Amino acid sequence: MQAHASPCKPISRDRLSLFSFAILICLEFVCFASTGCNHGLLKSDTTTNSDIDSVIFHGGYITADREHFVGFDLNPLKIPTDHRIQDIQSSCECVSAKQITIESHNNKSILQVTVHPDSKLTGTANLAVELRIKLSNQQLRSAVFEFVHYDKRAAIVE
């Protein structure tokens, strides 16, 4: 019997880099899923009560090295003018929010969202933080603040 060598093809550099990139993405997903805040709301975390109106605010890319403030118009939440916000709870300690009023613009109500620094973050994290808003008449509103929190030393690849 004569042994035959297998005609193996060398792995191309492009395939190897694509495979390595896929492994890195999987590792990043596993790492961010197991640490810190909810890096995306799970279905069980979302509000299922049909009495609660929900709005999504997009914050874009926010660096994790310092505190950031982002403001959103409260009109999409349809808060009656005769009621005020009593309390705002966040699903993540990395974000807090409060209502502010800009008096120079006809008493415009703004939701001021504060994104706190995260010195432990390496890379990027896609976050969807739920803000549960309780009004003075006990009605509830829900806003989801979506943003990408990233370490300035990390490369952002889209």
Side-chain angles (χ1 to χ4, degrees):
M1 282 225 141
Q2 191 175 27
H4 294 286
S6 171
C8 293
K9 294 181 183 178
I11 296 176
S12 72
R13 181 168 274 179
D14 292 337
R15 280 189 152 180
L16 185 60
S17 65
L18 183 61
F19 178 73
S20 298
F21 181 71
I23 294 295
L24 285 174
I25 294 297
C26 290
L27 287 173
E28 183 176 321
F29 176 75
V30 169
C31 178
F32 288 133
S34 63
T35 61
C37 296
N38 299 332
H39 297 293
L41 291 174
L42 301 174
K43 202 162 193 114
S44 62
D45 292 336
T46 58
T47 305
T48 56
N49 186 345
S50 61
D51 295 337
I52 300 174
D53 295 327
S54 183
V55 173
I56 297 176
F57 294 117
H58 300 283
Y61 292 86
I62 298 176
T63 58
D65 63 334
R66 63 183 178 86
E67 190 170 64
H68 290 270
F69 300 97
V70 184
F72 298 103
D73 186 359
L74 279 171
N75 283 338
L77 288 170
K78 300 176 185 163
I79 297 173
T81 55
D82 57 339
H83 294 91
R84 59 179 171 62
I85 292 178
Q86 186 175 14
D87 185 39
I88 301 175
Q89 294 180 353
S90 174
S91 67
C92 180
E93 61 191 26
C94 62
V95 171
S96 59
K98 66 180 180 179
Q99 178 182 6
I100 61 172
T101 302
I102 301 176
E103 293 181 11
S104 64
H105 288 86
N106 297 326
N107 293 333
K108 183 92 170 161
S109 290
I110 302 292
L111 179 67
Q112 179 183 312
V113 177
T114 305
V115 180
H116 304 288
D118 185 355
S119 62
K120 296 177 186 174
L121 181 67
T122 58
T124 62
N126 295 317
L127 297 173
V129 178
E130 182 182 21
L131 301 171
R132 292 174 296 280
I133 301 167
K134 185 177 181 182
L135 303 179
S136 58
N137 67 350
Q138 304 306 312
Q139 286 183 342
L140 300 175
R141 299 289 191 273
S142 175
V144 176
F145 176 57
E146 294 180 344
F147 66 101
V148 177
H149 215 197
Y150 71 97
D151 179 3
K152 287 192 334 186
R153 298 167 295 192
I156 297 176
V157 180
E158 291 199 30

